[in-house]
Every structure is written in structure tokens, then in C-alpha cells.
Amino acid sequence: MQTFLSLYLYILPIALYATWVGIGLWEIVTRPDMGRGAALGWMAVILLIPVLGILAYYIAGKSAIPAWQRVTLVGGGVLAYVVLYAVGSLAGGVV
Amino acid sequence: MTIRAYFLPFLLFSIALFAACSGPPERGDSYVITMKDNFFEPAELRIPVGASVTFVNAGEAPHNAVASNGSWSTESAFGSLIMLAGDETTLTFDEPGVSPYYCTFHGTAQGAGMYATLIVGDETVVEEVEPVAAPERAGESVTRHVPADYPTIQSAVDAAAPGDLVLIEPGVYREQVNVSTPNLVIRGTDRNAVIIDSEFQRDHGIFIAGADGVAVENLTVQSARINGLFWTNVTGYRASYVTAIDASVYGIYAFDSTDGLFEYSYASGSRDSGFYIGQCDPCNAVIDHVISEYNALGYSGTNASRQIFLLNSIWRNNGVGIVPNTLDSELLPPVKEVTIMGNAVYNNGRMDVPMRAGEWPINGNGIALMGNKRSLVERNRITNHWNNGIYVAPMLDDNFYSSDENIIRNNVVEGSGRADLALGGPAGPGNCFQGNDAATSMPPGLSTLLSCNGPRLPLRLELTAFTDMAGRAVQGAQGWNPQIPIGSVPKPPPQPQMPGGAEAPVRPAVNVFADYPLDMDAITVPDLPDGVTVTQTKTPTLFGLLVGGYWINTLFGLYGGLALMSLFALWLALALWDLSTDTARRSRGSVLGWTGAILFVPLLGLIAYYVAGKSRLPVWARLFLLIVPLLVYIAVVLGTLLGSGAI
């Protein structure tokens, strides 16, 4: 169980991050309201600045994804990580 | 832009990834032993338990293969002891063990002629070494007294004949001793009071070049401008009860030499390693009951392979404890089959010891196998390291060397900052972790998912350990690593004298390995000495990176590790989403075909889809997505490494 939890907590941030970027980029290249220049600019920001780039897009990129969904997408993952880490630590340490 | 132009980086990336996935055969692969006229090839083959071996007669003469103890024979499978040219037969081996075998027509069970060894499972093999004839000398061994008969050690050595004893009374000898006469024993009468002081002006304390069989006993060498004790290009060497302090490079060192022993010796303050055996295969060498502390590395063994045993020793307070490693700067890469057993490795990861820039990237590890093949780490105690306890890692020099098929078992590992057990990627196949008393690992689950007896999942691409080394290589190249002057570490207390002292038998270093009583079965995990407790606590990691690490290491971890991984996930997700929602345009065959190509052809399938799969993503987006991030990630890491002079 401990091994499983640790492995999950190791992989979760990597997978979540890839998911955030994937969803953000799909939106950028398919949304009709964004010109090619702006799209390229946001792609550059997202792909070239690890972690912070995609967060910047969700905050300031005028994404069509409703705000509550963006908060869930990012905050939910972070919350899950924190809670599971705390639970794991209480239950004998995350290995 | 042609397709070729933007294909190149992906091909490189793909090749790198495939290279990381290829390597020596694993469980389930088939093995072949070729019978030629008149020898077996390979002469030694290691296979997993339960594997099958096909014997092929590729010679002209008839051959067979029969175990020396009679336990198996090609006759049982082939139906005849006579296998003619082109014949082949397959045997399966379910019992672990070391199995010498021979051809009954062209060899003997005792090891003459056409004879070879098959190793089934993870057995440790100690090959017998053929003793050489005792050296001839005219008359008795002469004892040459220094300074009574000879004012300097050098004058006594120059006067000595092979087999003589150079016996040195207490004093500080400000000279470099060059030895070219074989089979001398150079002995101090008091280990702590017979001191060869190089005063940082002379290269070596004692320099033995090409003189076989020289033993050095019961004395101290200090403040060498290069090495304290240095053997090169010899057969037969031994250091017993020697103290080596503050060497500018290595304390006690044997290079390009075989048949040796370092025992009951002590090395501290070396700017490279305390003990070093380099460039030998097979080394036929033993390090037993030594203490190595306050060095950049406790032990370094560059390209020192096979029949090399580090046993029952203490490696503490160094930058790193034990580091068998592969480098292209010496011959015989990569390093293979090092045995590390019964050692106490604790409190390494010191930053207040002298070190060269090249040692900084692995600081903080207890035992680091760098580019090792088939090494064995067993029954050691490894305690208090801010980085990893046992770290199996690749080595990048002129060539890239992964670590493959190393066995880490039955160790006690405790108090590690990053992880007790760590496998750094790209790793080769076959590394395994079994029976260790260890709480943490990176990636997590190594003991479960990469066990020696159970399944071994391919957890080989944990890149952050590698990017961490790369980050610190940049620091070292910039001189940002700790700069500690030589001579500033604590001086050792008086060290134990050699039993028998001046009266001990005179034994030149002849047949050292053949005569050494190796008893590895008796070795147990050592206890921590009194006063040493587990003090290092686990440091949190995110994306595999130490939280609060150096900014440049974090940068490399993000660009060289995380970003590459997630870029791959991103390509995959976008392609599959595109395919699975494109029902209006695409036939089911097209969707299934491309999905299959993407999933079954690693990386290349994805690239082919983006190039030729009629994706709905606009061309400019595809081009940007495929090329720009990868180029930037590579540019950030490679550019920083090159620009800083780290590679």
C-alpha cells in the first residue's frame, strides 16, 4: 500500500502537468477567437516555461474553459496531492 | 522546409530512447554458445535461472559440452556425444549455480583445453588464479636498514635485490622513493612514526613503476603532490597497515596492475579518492579492512573490472563512499563485476572535504555504481547520506554507459535524504533490488517492481538523478562546488601497528590473490560504531527533484526530465484525441490503423502521424509543437553544459 501510494504520488504531478498542458494546448490550437500570432505566443509560453507557463495561460489566457473548471483542474490535482501526501505521512511515511 | 530537416531531432531523441531500452539479454531471451575449433564462445556466459542455451557447432571438428561435475551434457538433448559441424541442440538450466564445462574430445574437466563456464542466476564467481613460480634469488633475503645502513630510503631501495627487506626506523623522510626492483618489501618499524613527507613538492611518496611484487607495510605517506602510494603496470602489489594522508590526487593507488591487496590501511584528505584501483580486467584484487575518510571519494575504481572485492571496510565522512565507475579517459571501459560486501558506509556527503570539480556531481551518495555492468552490492550498511544510499546510475563521458544487471541485495540502508535505493535513468536492463532493509526508493517501489527473484518492470527512465548530476557538473565547471584546501581535514589518531612489526615474515607481493583467504559466506552486515546514529531525514521530492535543491539542478530537472516526459504525453494525448473525435472525416480503419501505429511503434509512430496522418491540427501548430520545445529543452541543457565547460 505504501509502495503504491508512493508510486502514485511520484507519477501524479508528472501526469497532471502533462494533462494541464495537453488540455490547454488543444484549446489554443482549436479556438476560433485566437489569431495565429497569439496562439504561437501562448504555445511558446506554455511549452518553454515548465509548470508556470501553463498556469499563466489558465489565469491570463482568456480560456473558454469556465473558471470553476480551471480551478478544479489545477487546484483539484494539487489538493489531491497534498491530502494524499499528508495521509501517507501520517500512515507511516511516504516512501 | 523538408521533412528531413525536422525529422532529425526526433530521430536523435528516438535513438537515445531506443539505446536506453536495448542492452544485454534478459530473462526470456535465448542464449547461444558457439563451439569452435577448439574453444567455446563466449568463454563465460551468465544466464537467468530457467533460461535455455543453444549449443551450436560452428567448427569443422566434432564437439560436445559436458559439465565438469557431470550434472548436464549436450548428449541428453542431442542424443549423441558427437555433434558434427552445423549441429545444434538446446538445454534448459533450472538450477542456479556456477557450472564449468568442457568438450570431452578437446578438453578436460579440470580446466585444460576446450573449457568454459556457464553461470546460472546471480551467483558470485571467484575464479581460481593460477599461481606463478616463486621468484628466484641468489642467497638469503637481506635486510637493508634505514637510516643505519642507508641514509635514505631511496639509497636502500637502489641497493636492494629482489626479495630484500627495506626496514625503516622512525623519522620524517623528505624524499620520493622510486622503486624499479621487483619483489621488495618496504616496511616501517612504526606505522605512525615512519613518515614519508612529500611536502606538496614531490609527486609521490612511493612510486612503483613496472616492478612486480613490491609490498609496502607499516608506515605513513603524506602531503603528496600527486599520489601517496602509487603502483603502475605491475603484477603483484600489496599495501598493509599503511597510512596515507592528504594526497593531492589519490592516497593509495594501483593503476594498470593486477594481483593486489590493500589491507588494514587508512587514507584521508585525498582530493580525489582515498583508495583507487584503475584500469584492470580481471583485476584479481582485494581491499579488506581499510578505513577511508575525509576524501572526495572513499573508493574510486575506474574501469577496474572482475575479480575485484571491496570487503569489510569503513568508508565514512567522504564526499561519496564507494564509486566504481566507467570513464573513457582510461582503457578497458566499462567497469564490470565489482563485488562490494560487508562494508560500513556512513556519513558521506561531506562538503568540507577537498574535492576536484569532477567529484561534485555525485556528492552525497553512499555507494554509487556509475556505468557498472553486473556489479554486486551485498550485506553492507549504508547510513546518513543527504542524496542516495545506494545509487545505480549511468555515466556520460565521451560515450554513454548505462548501468546494467547490477545486483543490490541484503543491504541495510537508512537515513537517506533523497532515497535509500535509487536507479537513475536511462538505466540498462537487469538491475535488481532484493532483500534490502531500506525504507525509501527513487523511483518508488524498486524493491517490489525490480526484485531479483520476481518480475522486473522497466523502471529505467527516472531522469532527474541524471539531470541533478548534470546540474552539479555545471557548478563544478564554474568552480561553484566547495573549494576546500588540501591538508585541512582532521589528522587521524595513531593507527594500529602491523602484527609482528619489524620481525614479521618478509613476504613480497607474489601470488597475492591466489593466496588470499576470501571467505565471503562469513561476511555479515556490520553494525554502526558507537556514537553514530541515524541523523539524516528524508527530504521531500517533487518530480523526483529534491525540494530546495540548487536552482540550476532544478532547471535541468524541469527541462531535461519533466518537460521531455510531458512533451511525449502531450503528443500522445493530442494525437489520440484528434483521431478519436475525427469520426466525420475518418474511416474506422484509419482511426484504428493510426492508433495502432502510434501505440505500437514507439515515438516514430507518433511522428509519422503528425507528418502524414492528416491531423486536424494546423501545420504551423504541428511544426511548432514537434520541433520548438524539443530544441529548446535540448538547447537549455546541452547549451548550459557546453557553455560552462562541463562537457
Side-chain angles (χ1 to χ4, degrees), chain A residues 7 10 22 26 29 47-48 50 95, chain B residues 439 444 462 559 570 577 617 633:
Chain A
L7 206 51
Y10 168 70
W26 180 258
V29 295
L47 289 171
L48 305 187
V95 297
Chain B
E462 204 294 300
Y559 281 92
L570 176 68
W577 175 260
L617 286 177
Y633 303 155

Side-chain angles (χ1 to χ4, degrees), chain B residues 380-391:
Chain B
N380 304 281
R381 181 179 294 273
I382 299 117
T383 308
N384 291 339
H385 298 96
W386 68 260
N387 210 340
N388 306 294
I390 300 175
Y391 176 38

Side-chain angles (χ1 to χ4, degrees), chain A residues 18-45:
Chain A
T19 310
W20 295 344
V21 174
I23 291 174
L25 276 185
W26 180 258
E27 190 191 15
I28 287 173
V29 295
T30 54
R31 64 193 268 190
D33 63 323
M34 192 177 263
R36 186 177 299 186
L40 275 175
W42 273 117
M43 283 173 77
V45 168

Side-chain angles (χ1 to χ4, degrees), chain B residues 187-372:
Chain B
R187 176 185 295 169
T189 58
D190 183 326
R191 178 178 179 182
N192 302 303
V194 174
I195 299 169
I196 300 174
D197 188 352
S198 302
E199 303 174 291
F200 298 116
Q201 293 177 26
R202 286 168 292 278
D203 288 348
H204 312 289
I206 302 178
F207 178 35
I208 299 137
D212 296 343
V214 175
V216 179
E217 302 171 345
N218 211 45
L219 51 74
T220 294
V221 290
Q222 68 182 34
S223 308
R225 203 169 65 174
I226 303 180
N227 309 311
L229 274 189
F230 181 26
W231 284 264
T232 181
N233 186 27
V234 306
T235 301
Y237 61 91
R238 176 167 56 83
S240 305
Y241 295 88
V242 173
T243 302
I245 305 170
D246 296 338
S248 303
V249 185
Y250 305 113
I252 298 179
Y253 176 20
F255 176 74
D256 187 23
S257 297
T258 59
D259 194 28
L261 172 65
F262 296 154
E263 60 170 357
Y264 298 100
S265 291
Y266 173 98
S268 73
S270 313
R271 193 155 162 260
D272 200 308
S273 67
F275 293 85
Y276 182 23
I277 294 177
Q279 192 183 300
C280 47
D281 182 12
C283 296
N284 297 331
V286 179
I287 297 181
D288 206 350
H289 293 105
V290 305
I291 299 174
S292 189
E293 62 180 341
Y294 302 115
N295 307 283
L297 315 176
Y299 167 83
S300 170
T302 301
N303 306 351
S305 298
R306 298 198 294 152
Q307 306 266 79
I308 177 162
F309 300 87
L310 280 63
L311 311 173
N312 307 314
S313 293
I314 294 173
W315 317 85
R316 64 186 176 204
N317 301 325
N318 302 286
V320 197
I322 298 175
V323 193
N325 60 84
T326 296
L327 285 173
D328 286 307
S329 53
E330 293 184 12
L331 301 179
L332 307 176
V335 66
K336 299 175 283 290
E337 296 178 35
V338 181
T339 300
I340 300 169
M341 200 178 281
N343 298 282
V345 185
Y346 57 91
N347 296 353
N348 298 287
R350 301 273 297 226
M351 301 185 190
D352 57 350
V353 295
M355 70 180 77
R356 303 208 285 190
E359 276 88 55
W360 179 237
I362 42 172
N363 186 282
N365 296 298
I367 297 175
L369 304 183
M370 309 297 298
N372 275 232

Side-chain angles (χ1 to χ4, degrees), chain B residues 65-74 76 91 93 95-104 107-111 114-120 123:
Chain B
V66 176
S68 292
N69 64 4
S71 63
W72 56 268
S73 160
T74 48
S76 62
L91 290 170
F93 296 87
E95 291 297 317
V98 180
S99 190
Y101 62 96
Y102 66 109
C103 170
T104 58
T108 72
Q110 287 72 39
M114 189 165 170
Y115 176 92
T117 306
L118 180 69
I119 305 156
V120 183
E123 297 292 315

Side-chain angles (χ1 to χ4, degrees), chain B residues 378-551:
Chain B
E378 181 168 343
R379 281 173 268 158
N380 304 281
R381 181 179 294 273
I382 299 117
T383 308
N384 291 339
H385 298 96
W386 68 260
N387 210 340
N388 306 294
I390 300 175
Y391 176 38
V392 181
M395 190 78 191
L396 180 63
D397 196 5
D398 295 343
N399 295 295
F400 176 82
Y401 297 96
S402 63
S403 276
D404 313 338
E405 299 186 273
N406 300 287
I407 298 167
I408 315 296
R409 67 183 173 204
N410 301 340
N411 301 281
V412 177
V413 196
E414 56 203 345
S416 306
R418 184 168 177 272
D420 290 334
L421 307 172
L423 179 62
N431 297 293
C432 73
F433 300 81
Q434 177 89 36
N436 299 290
D437 183 355
T440 61
S441 79
M442 186 62 72
L446 277 184
S447 301
T448 309
L449 305 174
L450 266 180
S451 67
C452 299
N453 300 342
R456 300 182 190 179
L457 299 189
L459 292 178
R460 298 191 210 146
L461 216 56
E462 204 294 300
L463 291 175
T464 53
F466 197 57
T467 59
D468 184 61
M469 287 194 292
R472 280 191 279 153
V474 170
Q475 294 168 18
Q478 295 294 323
W480 296 345
N481 59 307
Q483 306 287 327
I484 310 295
I486 295 170
S488 61
V489 306
K491 293 288 171 283
Q495 296 294 308
Q497 302 288 336
M498 184 170 74
E503 307 302 321
V506 178
R507 291 185 297 123
V510 179
N511 294 329
V512 177
F513 188 78
D515 292 346
Y516 195 75
L518 269 182
D519 184 7
M520 289 188 289
D521 291 342
I523 292 174
T524 56
V525 176
D527 293 327
L528 279 180
D530 290 341
V532 179
T533 55
V534 179
T535 50
Q536 174 73 48
T537 54
K538 172 97 175 90
T539 309
T541 56
L542 185 60
F543 305 127
L545 300 165
L546 280 173
V547 172
Y550 287 91
W551 66 270

